[in-house]
Amino acid sequence: MIGRRTLIKTAAVLVGTGALAGVAVAATSAPPAPPPAVAQERSATKIVAVDATQEATLAVLRRPVAKDDMPDDDVRQLVASGAGPSVGANPALARKALTTPTGEQIYVVPGRGWVCLAASGAMSNCVPTDRIAEGYAVSVQDIPSGSRLRGIVPDGVDRVEVRGDSGETATTAPSGNVWTVDVTFAPTSVAWTGDAGEKVVPVAAPPQDPVGPAAPPTSLNPSPSGDAG
Amino acid sequence: MESIAHRAALAAACACLGLFAWGATSASAFTNSYCGVLVSAFTWCGDGSNHSYNFNSATYTGGGDVYLCERLLIADSKEPREGAVCGYNSVSQTFGAYPYLTEAEIQHQTGANHTIYGYATA
């Protein structure tokens, strides 16, 4: 039988341990608590085939998967880490769209109703499939010389133009439904003409100021209703 | 008898300490869903904690198209670890090994308020 004194000692040790742990938690949780997060569902199973809309939009997804299409480790890690929402993006169905002059590989990776552009340079951009035809499959990344823009365009687009605030332009030709271009000016829009006419989508270089833009920023593509999601 | 009980009590306390220690160290290998709340345009929404993140993403799944950015800051500073990546609806980036803890942040630049989701792994 355990004596009363022993029980008291045990309780004291456990309480002390808890107090220490509490102090440790308090000491390591200095930043203020953010609002309660609403976690995204992340357990979607991988898709097993490209869907009809994806095939109709992107020729690169209509061709058979070749051995060379298998994404490299960086891209597979990017997709496995959770690139995009949980839509079952499947690297086994990816197609390599192009290799940049710097040797970077860019892939088109289909998911459930979404399509991702994934680059071996460790970034990705995913959009719902139907937004590709509207021009919204575009991303901007900081690089030492300025900005690197990338995007996916539907079939029939043979020229993409990046525009700057002072009238600067840079053009490039897509390959495998994908385009990429580096610019030294601050990009403000991306334009191209496809079967449904010209599409012009606003973009902005990533914020440089860690505490926010110095000047009052201009909202991109203002939404008519506050929150749609 | 009391000696055995005393040792048992100490062992229990040590096990308890061990569990706390494991909990503290295992925080460096986990996934973190953050934000997921209404955020106003050009406001960074952060995860509010420090970890050795190697992946961060920003996602919007509502109607329309929202321009998003994601970045990692060096913990307890305003210094970005690397340049942010921006794009419509979902952007993400993986990061190589780094000797400092980081904080994950996301923002959007479209309209007024939108629910945007951050997801980071360490």
Side-chain angles (χ1 to χ4, degrees), chain A residues 14-33:
Chain A
L14 288 175
V15 167
T17 303
L20 278 174
V23 169
V25 168
T28 56
S29 58

Side-chain angles (χ1 to χ4, degrees), chain A residues 134-176:
Chain A
E134 299 302 318
Y136 288 99
V138 58
S139 62
V140 185
Q141 182 177 22
D142 269 338
I143 58 173
S145 60
S147 296
R148 176 164 294 159
L149 293 93
R150 300 185 176 100
I152 303 174
V153 289
D155 297 346
V157 176
D158 57 10
R159 180 175 177 274
V160 175
E161 183 174 278
V162 177
R163 298 170 179 167
D165 210 16
S166 303
E168 308 97 325
T169 60
T171 59
T172 188
S175 172

Side-chain angles (χ1 to χ4, degrees), chain A residues 6 10 13 36-38 40 81 84 122-126 131 136 138-140 201-202 204 206 210 217 219-221 226-228, chain B residues 2 9 13 35-38 42 55 60 63 65 67 71 78 84 86-88 90-94 109-111 113-115 117 119:
Chain A
T6 303
T10 304
V13 169
V38 178
Q40 275 186 286
S81 295
M123 63 73 59
S124 76
N125 172 218
C126 304
R131 308 315 295 158
Y136 288 99
V138 58
S139 62
V140 185
V201 167
S219 179
L220 299 181
N221 185 32
D227 177 52
Chain B
E2 184 167 337
C35 296
V37 294
L38 277 176
F42 296 97
F55 173 84
Y60 170 76
D65 301 280
Y67 195 73
R71 70 180 181 183
K78 293 295 180 186
C86 301
Y88 283 95
S90 183
V91 290
S92 58
Q93 190 174 188
T94 51
Q109 301 184 4
T110 300
N113 298 325
H114 293 288
T115 300
Y117 297 89
Y119 180 71

Side-chain angles (χ1 to χ4, degrees), chain A residues 46-71:
Chain A
K46 289 180 182 174
I47 63 168
V48 295
V50 174
D51 70 37
T53 305
Q54 292 164 343
E55 283 191 344
T57 307
L58 304 170
V60 70
L61 292 179
R62 290 197 294 273
R63 69 169 174 75
V65 176
K67 188 177 179 182
D68 191 40
D69 287 324
M70 178 55 72

